[in-house]
């Protein structure tokens, strides 16, 4: 058998079959190959993951960014007495530190958002596992989130990408990469900051709606509180908004917000911060946001000043950075008031500002009633141009020209054309104008041409009659309209159908503007406004009818501006009547003390110097006046022919005496130079080279005039008004200190200043009932009572006040209510009485009713004018008419 087996030959398969040893070797070889590939994949995965993380890390927020998220911290404006006047911001965000947070906020956010916050390093593995199992595997909707407070802060810092119109793969990648960035940022935050700092950053970064950017703004807007003073219910409401501010908006969904607050309170109870009894008591309380108020630049005090300061700071910071690197940010760019969290310390005193605003409000509230009575037909539906209807836009006085009346009409139309309501409906109503590329002014001119065609007119009494064709030709010839405009007008005028269509459409839109609608208008009440039914047309007329004011209060020794009142209500009247770059009105007799001061200084006059109350003529060609004919200004009340003192002449605002003093100067230049020395801009023909400047014809601002009057309260030294004390960056480092470039220099001798001071006191003596402090001043009234001024001085403050309407033709028609003594001086009286009653101003040496004007050591001029029998012991003669021009009209027809 054995042999037989040995004789059998093996098959081919059995010869090729590997031995066990070979198989083992092959398995080992394959295993090694597998292991090698696994290591390759492992290292490639690590490299890939590392590359992804490195790529993502390049786009992570920097440490500087984390310190100052998105570089959009609001800048704060502080008063001299430490009050916050307002902020400049893109987002109303002012960071607070951890110690400024209410403990209720901290407990609530940890108990609700991240119970293991103090124990993890930015990512909560247990919470992630819970989300994975319960949400992804078990599909439970109430499993809760896995994000930590650090991750939620990271989410705010990193932001979410816009996945709209993206493919599914791109969208998935964006979401995953963003989540990874948030994780990396959270870890970075944990390594860079303490837990307390992260919580503060989170509260500072979150937006709570309604411009409440960050917890400080939220506490102020919702509860009018600081974050440190929030109670447990208030804190719980805000913490629930962290989940979804729109969903838990207490203004829109108070019940839902209450439910959300209840969830936070329950978390506090479960974590031992409150008892079950406290929880049940607190959950029953209603949501109380009765003090909710959205903040904007129309709120608070010094609104006009804050707007002026804003524009000034923008220019100042750019100029400083350009001139000197020390005023630049570390990156070499100028500081930004909207983003860099600057602290701007101003010279404004919040108490004086409040007293000034109240003084103006109280007086103008009463005086406005009188103006409406003067123009009782102000809202006449369709007034015609005549002298009977008491409507300021159409009442034509004896000296009113057709051109003046047309300017009034056009001014009112431009106000209408510029409204949002008109512009919104214009394309719908004025289709013909749109098709022919006609602006509103073009439409008006076309209607003028048609009117001239129907009834030719003379441009002046001796000129030829002009019809529509001649009018159009004249406009084109003089360049009043372009050649293209003229051709367009001709094309429109040549087609009757187009004209009819344009006329009907314009009538329709104007009728629309004259249709009453529910709206809110300004009112002298606690709100400063009222809801009413009024047409847009009448709303414009109503607001233009209001008296405005510009008032500045300046410390004459330092030049520090203590109060700035640019108008009666910034929400409805944006125009700042103090702003020297934009506002100027005729100053009237308030300019005369400067002329008196110059001659007193040059000639050594005393208050008792004698002048004649008689006509004074500056002849043609005399001196350096450049007159082409004789000039003899008239006094409003005529001439007495008496010899009077200089003080009495100033008291009566005698134009003849001003002309006499001007004549003494041999020309206008010495006076113009003097005005420039006291801070008045005499360039650009604001103060013309003319003898008439002595009567007050220049248009100047309360800012300039108040600064100039500091010489009368500060022993002859002019002190330029300033309003910035210093500017600090967000870390408290000073980047600008004021005063270095402030102009301050002696203009008058102490004796000359004392003479003027005495005269200004004397002419106001006894006129301000109840005022205890030393005071003086000068009234001013301009042509046809368009402007009323009072420039007042006290030892501690110089206060300049202007009152009038933005349209000069809207004014009182007689001096009874239209002179400066009636329009402006009561405001000066009011502010002195208000400050007199505020003892804190005396304590802080801002305003002391017992302060005295400086008196020179040596006085060698006659100061006692009583022996001249022109001033009684008890009171002065009545003030004179201080109107500016030589043609003064008190008649109702003017």
């Amino acid at each position: 058998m054995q042999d037989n087996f040995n004789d059998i030959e093996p098959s081919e398969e059995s010869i090729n079959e590997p031995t066990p040893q070979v198989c083992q070797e092959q398995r080992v070889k394959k295993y090694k190959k597998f292991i090698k590939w696994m290591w390759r994949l492992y290292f490639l995965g690590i490299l890939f993951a590392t590359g992804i993380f490195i790529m993502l890390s390049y786009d992570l927020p920097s440490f500087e960014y984390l310190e100052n998220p998105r570089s959009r911290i609001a800048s704060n404006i502080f008063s001299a007495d430490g009050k916050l006047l307002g902020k400049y911001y893109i987002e109303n965000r002012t960071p607070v530190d951890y110690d400024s947070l209410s403990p209720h906020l901290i407990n609530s956010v940890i108990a609700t958002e991240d119970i293991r916050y103090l124990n993890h390093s930015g990512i909560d593995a247990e919470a992630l596992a819970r989300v994975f199992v319960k949400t992804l595997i078990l599909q439970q909707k109430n499993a809760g989130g896995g994000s930590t407070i650090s991750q939620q802060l990271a989410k705010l810092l990193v932001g979410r990408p816009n996945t709209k119109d993206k493919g599914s793969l791109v969208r998935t990648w964006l979401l995953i990469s963003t989540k990874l960035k948030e994780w990396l940022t959270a870890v970075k935050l944990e390594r860079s900051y303490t837990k307390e700092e992260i919580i503060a950053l989170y509260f500072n970064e979150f937006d709570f709606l309604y411009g409440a950017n960050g917890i400080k703004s939220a506490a102020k807007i919702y509860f009018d509180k600081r974050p440190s003073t929030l109670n447990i219910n208030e804190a719980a409401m805000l913490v629930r908004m962290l989940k979804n501010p729109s969903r838990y908006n207490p203004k829109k969904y108070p019940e839902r917000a209450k439910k959300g607050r209840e969830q936070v309170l329950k978390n506090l109870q479960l974590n031992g911060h409150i008892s079950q009894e406290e929880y049940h008591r607190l959950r029953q309380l209603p949501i109380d946001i009765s003090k909710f108020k959205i903040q904007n630049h129309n709120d608070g005090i010094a609104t006009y000043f804050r707007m002026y300061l804003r524009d000034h700071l923008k220019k100042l910071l750019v100029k400083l950075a350009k001139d000197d690197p020390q005023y630049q940010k570390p990156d070499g760019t100028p500081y930004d008031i909207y983003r860099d969290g600057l602290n701007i310390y101003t010279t404004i005193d919040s108490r004086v500002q409040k007293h000034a605003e109240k003084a103006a409000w109280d007086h103008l509230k009463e005086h406005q009633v009188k103006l409406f009575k003067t123009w009782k037909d102000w809202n006449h539906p369709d007034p015609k141009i005549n002298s009977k209807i008491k409507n300021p836009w159409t009442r034509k006085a004896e000296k009113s020209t057709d051109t003046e009346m047309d300017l009034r009409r056009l001014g009112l139309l431009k106000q209408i054309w510029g409204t949002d309501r008109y512009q919104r409906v214009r394309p719908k109503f004025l289709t013909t104008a749109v098709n022919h590329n006609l602006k509103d002014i073009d439409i008006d001119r076309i209607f003028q041409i048609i009117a001239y065609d129907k009834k030719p007119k003379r441009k002046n009494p001796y000129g030829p009659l002009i019809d529509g064709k001649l009018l159009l030709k004249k406009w084109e010839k003089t360049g009043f309209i372009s050649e293209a405009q003229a051709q367009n007008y001709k094309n429109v005028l040549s087609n009757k159908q187009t004209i009819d269509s344009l006329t009907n459409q314009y009538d329709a839109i104007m009728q629309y503007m004259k249709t009453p609608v529910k709206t809110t208008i300004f009112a002298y009440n606690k709100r400063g406004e009222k809801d009413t039914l009024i047409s847009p047309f009448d709303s414009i007329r109503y607001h233009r009818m209001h008296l405005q004011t510009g008032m500045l209060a300046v410390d004459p020794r330092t030049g520090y501006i203590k109060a700035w009142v640019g108008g009666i209500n910034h929400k409805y009247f944006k125009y700042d009547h103090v702003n020297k770059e934009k506002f100027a009105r005729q100053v009237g007799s308030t300019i005369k003390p400067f002329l008196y001061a110059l001659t007193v200084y040059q000639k050594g006059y005393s208050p008792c110097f004698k002048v004649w109350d008689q006509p004074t003529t500056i002849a043609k060609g005399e001196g350096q006046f450049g007159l082409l004919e004789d000039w003899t200004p008239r006094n409003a009340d005529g001439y007495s022919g008496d010899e009077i003192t200089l003080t009495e002449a100033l008291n009566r605002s005698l134009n003849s005496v001003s002309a006499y003093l001007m004549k003494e100067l041999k020309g206008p230049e010495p006076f113009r130079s003097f005005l420039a020395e006291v801070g008045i801009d005499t360039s650009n023909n604001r103060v013309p080279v003319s003898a008439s400047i002595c009567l007050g014809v220049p248009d100047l601002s309360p800012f300039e005039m108040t600064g100039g009057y500091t010489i009368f309260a500060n022993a002859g030294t002019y002190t330029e008004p300033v309003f910035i004390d210093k500017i600090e960056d967000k870390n408290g480092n000073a980047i600008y200190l004021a005063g270095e470039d402030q102009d301050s220099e002696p203009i008058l001798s102490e004796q000359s200043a004392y003479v003027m001071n005495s005269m200004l006191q004397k002419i106001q003596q006894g006129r301000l009932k109840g005022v205890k402090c030393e005071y003086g001043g000068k009234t001013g009234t301009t042509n046809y009572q368009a402007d009323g001024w009072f420039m007042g001085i006290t030892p501690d403050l110089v206060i300049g006040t202007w009152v009038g309407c933005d349209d000069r033709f809207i004014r009182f028609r007689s001096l009874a209510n239209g002179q400066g003594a009636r329009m402006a001086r009561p405001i000066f009286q009011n502010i002195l009485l208000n400050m007199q009653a505020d003892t804190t101003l005396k304590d802080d040496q801002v305003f002391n009713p017992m302060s005295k004007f400086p008196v020179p050591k040596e006085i060698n001029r006659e100061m006692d004018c009583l022996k001249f029998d022109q001033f009684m012991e008890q009171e002065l003669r009545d003030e004179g008419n201080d109107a500016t021009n030589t043609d003064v009209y008190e008649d109702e027809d003017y």
Side-chain angles (χ1 to χ4, degrees), residues 147 150-160 179 182:
S147 293
S150 302
Q151 285 176 272
Q152 291 182 58
L153 172 58
K155 184 192 298 184
L156 295 175
L157 298 175
V158 172
R160 285 299 172 98
K179 197 65 179 177
E182 291 173 7

Side-chain angles (χ1 to χ4, degrees), residues 205-222:
E205 186 65 12
F206 197 84
D207 295 342
F208 293 87
L209 305 178
Y210 301 109
N213 308 116
I215 190 63
K216 186 170 184 178
S217 296
K220 179 67 176 175
I221 288 174
Y222 285 99

Side-chain angles (χ1 to χ4, degrees), residues 430-469:
L430 301 179
T431 55
T432 301
V434 171
N435 292 338
H436 287 81
N437 197 27
L438 294 172
K439 297 178 181 179
D440 296 301
I441 189 66
D442 296 322
I443 300 172
D444 188 74
R445 287 170 183 163
I446 287 172
F447 289 161
Q448 282 190 61
I449 293 169
I450 295 172
Y452 268 76
D453 254 348
K454 291 181 179 178
K455 188 177 180 181
K457 301 178 183 178
R458 287 184 172 88
K459 283 292 185 180
N460 61 70
Y462 307 104
L465 283 173
I466 299 176
D467 62 13
K469 296 181 181 63

Side-chain angles (χ1 to χ4, degrees), residues 604-606 751-752 754-755 856-863:
Y605 294 154
S606 80
Q751 278 206 60
S752 298
Y754 181 65
V755 167
K857 294 179 180 179
E858 182 181 355
I859 305 172
N860 54 24
R861 303 189 197 185
E862 178 61 64
M863 302 299 296

Side-chain angles (χ1 to χ4, degrees), residues 575-732:
Y575 196 51
D576 184 352
H577 301 86
V578 172
N579 187 336
K580 62 180 178 179
E581 282 89 20
K582 296 182 179 179
F583 177 78
R585 290 288 280 261
Q586 201 173 61
V587 295
S589 294
T590 57
I591 206 170
K592 291 176 181 176
F594 293 130
L595 176 64
Y596 279 59
L598 178 57
T599 53
V600 163
Y601 177 54
Q602 289 188 346
K603 306 291 185 179
Y605 294 154
S606 80
C608 310
F609 177 75
K610 290 293 193 70
V611 291
W612 287 98
D613 180 11
Q614 63 186 15
T616 299
T617 299
I618 300 178
K620 172 183 175 181
E622 182 177 348
Q624 302 298 317
F625 291 102
L627 293 174
L628 299 178
E629 58 183 21
D630 292 353
W631 182 65
T632 308
R634 292 193 299 111
N635 292 333
D637 300 320
Y639 313 97
S640 67
D642 298 331
E643 192 178 32
I644 61 174
T645 63
L646 207 58
T647 305
E648 178 67 6
L650 183 62
N651 176 56
R652 291 162 56 190
S653 290
L654 296 179
N655 290 338
S656 58
V657 175
S658 294
Y660 166 76
L661 297 177
M662 195 71 173
K663 189 172 183 177
E664 291 277 285
L665 298 175
K666 310 298 183 185
E669 278 307 326
F671 188 35
R672 295 181 76 251
S673 298
F674 182 84
L675 292 175
E677 288 180 338
V678 297
I680 290 172
D681 179 10
T682 57
S683 62
N684 301 323
N685 296 320
R686 294 182 78 230
V687 181
V689 183
S690 168
S692 63
I693 60 175
C694 70
L695 306 184
V697 297
D699 283 357
L700 302 174
S701 68
F703 190 103
E704 294 167 289
M705 292 296 291
T706 307
Y709 265 66
T710 59
I711 64 173
F712 302 130
N714 192 31
T717 296
Y718 165 70
T719 310
E720 179 185 8
V722 294
F723 44 84
I724 299 174
D725 184 22
K726 64 179 177 179
I727 303 173
E728 294 179 346
D729 66 15
K730 62 184 176 66
N731 298 315

Side-chain angles (χ1 to χ4, degrees), residues 171 241 299 701:
R171 188 162 54 246
M241 290 181 74
D299 295 330
S701 68

Side-chain angles (χ1 to χ4, degrees), residues 347 554 558-562 703 720-724 738-739 741-742:
T347 64
V554 178
T558 63
Y560 285 0
I561 294 175
K562 295 299 180 181
F703 190 103
E720 179 185 8
V722 294
F723 44 84
I724 299 174
D741 54 351
Q742 183 183 13

Side-chain angles (χ1 to χ4, degrees), residues 112-113 152 155-156 202 206-209 222 236-250 253 256-257 260 263-264:
T112 303
E113 300 291 322
Q152 291 182 58
K155 184 192 298 184
L156 295 175
Y202 183 38
F206 197 84
D207 295 342
F208 293 87
L209 305 178
Y222 285 99
M237 189 202 86
L238 291 175
V239 165
R240 196 53 186 169
M241 290 181 74
L242 296 172
K243 185 76 174 176
N244 186 329
S246 297
R247 177 173 177 78
Y248 295 104
N249 180 345
Y253 311 111
R256 190 183 294 171
Q263 291 173 326
V264 177

